[in-house]
């Protein structure tokens, strides 16, 4: 079974961020997990990585929607313009159950799944499966 | 010279005798016939048919036909007869009322032939009578109907106009004159130009329909300036009227004032808009509440599980610490939400008048430590006379939020200056709070600016509820808030306080 080598957790709440990091390390067997407090920080890091040309591109991104500076949507728009050749699995992980958000997420083709918090076993199982089929 | 008509010569074969012809005319064509001797007027002969027309048998008949003449018409007949006796050019022809045996009125038209002797003196008068009562009654009925509808129309607020095919007025009724204050000079002028400019294309389109589909009403609502320069909305029915050749020669327009209706409709529409907005706001609010509470409860759920699965003492302590922080955040969120619910649910909190300057000074006093610490220059151009009608607690909160935001988001590159000034707009007192701070990218953030839990700067303290509450409080007082901002230059918040005129 293929497991994520490098995951980004893009989340402004530090506690949520720590919890998510712990859980995906433990349950999804992620190799390394990096946390970013908003979309801008994650995007800056991605840009830097791409410029450096290293093998540091994440294969999994867990993205929150409501964040300061650059929110999840803005990150997705910016992300779509990046010249990434590797497969990156983007999952939305949010507290929002607003139907508008769920509908909007469907329209982003980079988004492989929409998950509402908390990150429990059924959510994790679905993540695992989607990662295998779409990004493995 | 006229050729005498000789039926016997024109039509060979059997010819009716004069007596047969006369009987036919007497009995079948005419409703009465009489002869009168003009030398001795008492000598008269009246045929049976005449008496029959008036409901008499020969035995019951009065002495003379003149006795059956309606008293009101006797004078008229006498004058007419005298005129005919004097003047040979006069044609004996009159229509008058006669009294039927049963008392009803019978209208008879009498055409007479006056015979004269060689000297020109009248000798005999022959009168032929025809009953014209049905025609008279039909005429009277038509008159009655016309008066009836005329009365109805003149008592209704209905405009009736006609135009030619060029759209120039050819007729307008009195009510139209009355309402639009134009005299007869309006006839021949363009009806289109009298219509409110924006509605002219609509009017033209309906006129085109009248040509395409004549004799059928086409409806339209048009606005038109009234005598007192107010604009009135009228509902019209246009109809293309055709001549005998089937060409449309004029447009008949019937209209009535629906201004009140339109105004009420607009009011309902406005109410509907307000309600829809409120509905959307409430729905969003429900999702916001759910989002904010869920984000903490999700952490609590996860932390409890992590705690249960903790591998060592150190991890356990870390999770406990995080649990404590999370419950604290949840409590804080609930306090924030109850603040917002309070604003949203208490639309009718009592308003009081407050001196704006005094309230600003109070806020600045509360923020004096911050202001002093960051060496902020304040420029307050608010006259002590300016009074606003507000919910006092809301005003405190609004001022505190706007001014503390200006302090919080100051620019590190230049000395901070915060300017406050007021001015009047119709129905509103406007307060401007201007800073030279970081500014906000409105192109990106306009929609989110007054939303909940939206923060725009990488600021750990930002709660993202301030402007949301501020906006709600201002709107609860029927006011509004707008912003102009430029990244790196600063922001100007404009608060309009509603003032009852």
């Amino acid at each position: 079974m293929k497991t994520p080598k490098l995951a980004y957790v893009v989340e402004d709440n530090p506690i949520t961020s720590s919890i998510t990091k712990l859980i995906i390390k433990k349950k999804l067997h992620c190799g390394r997990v990096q946390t970013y407090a908003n979309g801008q920080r994650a995007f800056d890091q991605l840009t830097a990585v791409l410029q450096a040309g290293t093998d540091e591109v994440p294969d999994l991104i867990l993205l929150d929607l409501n964040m300061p500076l650059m929110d999840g949507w803005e990150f997705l728009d910016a992300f779509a313009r990046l010249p990434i050749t590797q497969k990156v699995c983007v999952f939305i992980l949010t507290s929002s159950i607003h139907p508008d958000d769920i509908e909007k997420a469907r329209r982003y083709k980079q988004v492989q799944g929409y998950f509402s918090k908390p990150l429990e076993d059924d959510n994790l199982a679905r993540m695992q499966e989607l990662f295998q089929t779409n990004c493995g | 010279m006229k050729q005498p008509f000789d039926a016997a010569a024109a039509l060979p074969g059997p010819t009716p005798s004069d007596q047969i012809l006369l009987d036919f005319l007497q009995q079948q064509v005419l409703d009465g016939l009489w002869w009168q001797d003009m030398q001795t007027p008492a000598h008269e002969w009246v045929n049976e048919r005449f008496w029959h027309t008036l409901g008499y048998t020969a035995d019951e008949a009065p002495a003379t036909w003149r006795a059956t003449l309606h008293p009101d018409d006797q004078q008229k007949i006498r004058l007419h007869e005298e005129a005919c006796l004097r003047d040979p050019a006069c044609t004996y022809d009159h229509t008058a009322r006669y009294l039927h045996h049963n008392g009803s009125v019978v209208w008879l038209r009498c055409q007479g032939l006056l015979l004269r002797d060689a000297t020109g003196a009248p000798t005999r008068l022959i009168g032929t009578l025809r009953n014209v009562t049905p025609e008279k009654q039909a005429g009277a009925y038509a008159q009655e109907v016309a008066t009836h509808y005329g009365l109805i129309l003149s008592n209704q607020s209905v405009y009736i106009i006609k135009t030619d095919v060029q759209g120039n007025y050819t007729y307008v009724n009195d009510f139209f004159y009355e309402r639009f204050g134009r005299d007869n000079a309006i006839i021949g002028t363009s009806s289109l130009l009298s219509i409110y400019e924006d509605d002219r294309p609509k009017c033209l389109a309906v006129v085109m329909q009248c040509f395409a589909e004549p004799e059928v009403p086409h409806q339209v609502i048009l606005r038109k300036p009234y005598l007192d320069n107010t604009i009135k909305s009228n509902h019209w029915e246009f109809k293309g009227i055709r001549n005998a050749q089937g060409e449309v020669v004029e447009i008949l327009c019937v209209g009535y004032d629906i201004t009140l209706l339109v105004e009420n409709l607009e009011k309902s529409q406005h109410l509907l808009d307000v309600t829809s907005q409120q509905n959307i706001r409430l729905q969003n609010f429900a999702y916001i509440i759910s989002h904010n509470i869920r984000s903490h409860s999700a952490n609590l759920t996860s932390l409890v599980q992590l705690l249960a699965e903790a591998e060592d003492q150190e991890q356990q302590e870390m999770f406990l610490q995080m649990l404590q922080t999370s419950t604290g955040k949840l409590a804080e969120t609930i306090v924030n939400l109850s603040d917002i619910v309070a604003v949203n649910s208490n639309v009718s909190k009592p308003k009081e008048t407050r001196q704006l300057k005094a309230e600003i000074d109070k806020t600045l006093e509360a923020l004096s430590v911050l202001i002093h610490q960051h060496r902020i220059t304040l420029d307050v151009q608010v006259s002590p006379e300016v009074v606003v009608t507000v919910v006092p607690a809301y005003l405190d909160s609004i001022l505190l939020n706007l001014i503390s935001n200006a302090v919080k988001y100051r620019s590190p590159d230049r000395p901070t200056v915060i300017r406050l000034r007021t001015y009047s707009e119709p129905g509103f007192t406007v307060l401007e709070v201007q800073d030279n701070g970081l500014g906000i990218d409105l192109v990106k953030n306009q929609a989110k600016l007054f939303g909940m839990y939206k923060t725009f700067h990488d600021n750990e303290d930002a709660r993202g509820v301030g402007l949301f509450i501020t906006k709600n409080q201002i709107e609860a007082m029927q006011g509004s808030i707008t912003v102009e901002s430029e990244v790196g230059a600063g922001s100007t918040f404009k608060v309009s306080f509603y003032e009852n005129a």
Side-chain angles (χ1 to χ4, degrees), chain B residues 417-483:
Chain B
V417 179
I418 302 173
R419 281 198 178 84
L420 284 87
R421 67 181 191 107
T422 56
Y423 54 91
S424 276
E425 275 183 5
F428 292 92
T429 299
V430 182
L431 168 69
E432 261 187 21
V433 181
Q434 182 185 32
D435 66 53
N436 61 345
L438 298 170
I440 303 156
D441 183 350
L442 288 180
V443 177
K444 261 172 70 180
N445 298 316
Q446 181 82 59
K448 298 187 214 158
L449 187 53
F450 297 103
M452 202 178 169
Y453 289 95
K454 304 292 182 188
T455 52
F456 304 99
H457 303 97
D458 223 349
N459 185 332
E460 295 276 315
D461 299 342
R463 293 193 305 154
V465 285
L467 283 177
F468 182 80
I469 294 182
T470 296
K471 183 176 158 70
N472 274 276
Q473 287 172 330
I474 293 168
E475 285 175 356
M477 301 188 294
Q478 290 91 45
S480 63
I481 179 165
T482 59
V483 63

Side-chain angles (χ1 to χ4, degrees), chain A residues 16 26 41 66 68 95 99, chain B residues 287 295 299 309 448 454-455 458:
Chain A
T16 312
K26 199 165 154 185
R41 292 189 181 177
N66 291 307
S95 303
Chain B
Y287 280 118
S295 65
N299 282 351
E309 295 167 7
K448 298 187 214 158
K454 304 292 182 188
T455 52
D458 223 349

Side-chain angles (χ1 to χ4, degrees), chain B residues 11-52:
Chain B
L11 288 173
T15 309
S17 72
D18 285 355
Q19 187 56 51
I20 286 174
L21 254 178
L22 190 62
D23 283 350
F24 168 69
L25 291 174
Q26 265 205 74
Q27 300 304 325
Q28 308 292 319
V29 180
L30 298 173
D31 296 309
L33 183 77
W34 46 252
W35 295 66
Q36 186 150 29
D37 189 90
M38 296 318 282
Q39 316 290 291
T40 328
H43 288 174
E44 67 166 23
W45 171 85
V46 180
N47 77 346
E48 237 174 275
R49 177 79 186 163
F50 176 83
W51 297 120
H52 179 75

Side-chain angles (χ1 to χ4, degrees), chain A residues 13 15-16 18-19 22-23 26-27 38 41 66 68-69 71 74 95-99 116-118 120, chain B residues 284 287 290-291 294-295 298-299 301-303 306 309 318-319 322 325-326 444 448 454-458:
Chain A
N13 181 327
I15 291 188
T16 312
S18 308
I19 294 170
L22 273 169
I23 292 176
K26 199 165 154 185
K27 304 282 170 83
N38 60 58
R41 292 189 181 177
N66 291 307
L69 280 183
D71 67 17
E74 289 162 344
S95 303
S96 169
I97 49 163
H98 200 304
S116 21
K117 296 169 194 169
E120 290 190 298
Chain B
N284 276 334
Y287 280 118
S290 128
H291 173 267
R294 283 175 65 91
S295 65
N299 282 351
T301 310
S302 299
L303 283 169
L306 286 170
E309 295 167 7
M318 182 180 76
F319 294 143
M322 284 163 84
T325 314
S326 282
K444 261 172 70 180
K448 298 187 214 158
K454 304 292 182 188
T455 52
F456 304 99
H457 303 97
D458 223 349

Side-chain angles (χ1 to χ4, degrees), chain B residues 165-211:
Chain B
V165 288
Q166 279 81 39
N168 297 322
Y169 289 112
T170 54
Y171 168 81
V172 318
N173 72 339
D174 290 345
F175 186 67
F176 188 87
Y177 283 133
E178 202 180 292
R179 276 301 178 90
F180 296 101
R182 300 278 306 261
D183 52 21
N184 260 320
I186 197 175
I187 300 298
T189 63
S190 165
S191 59
L192 187 65
L193 292 180
S194 75
I195 290 162
Y196 185 62
E197 205 172 338
D198 292 2
D199 287 354
R200 286 179 199 167
K202 204 158 81 170
C203 177
L204 265 180
V206 177
V207 171
M208 289 303 143
Q209 283 177 25
C210 289
F211 282 100

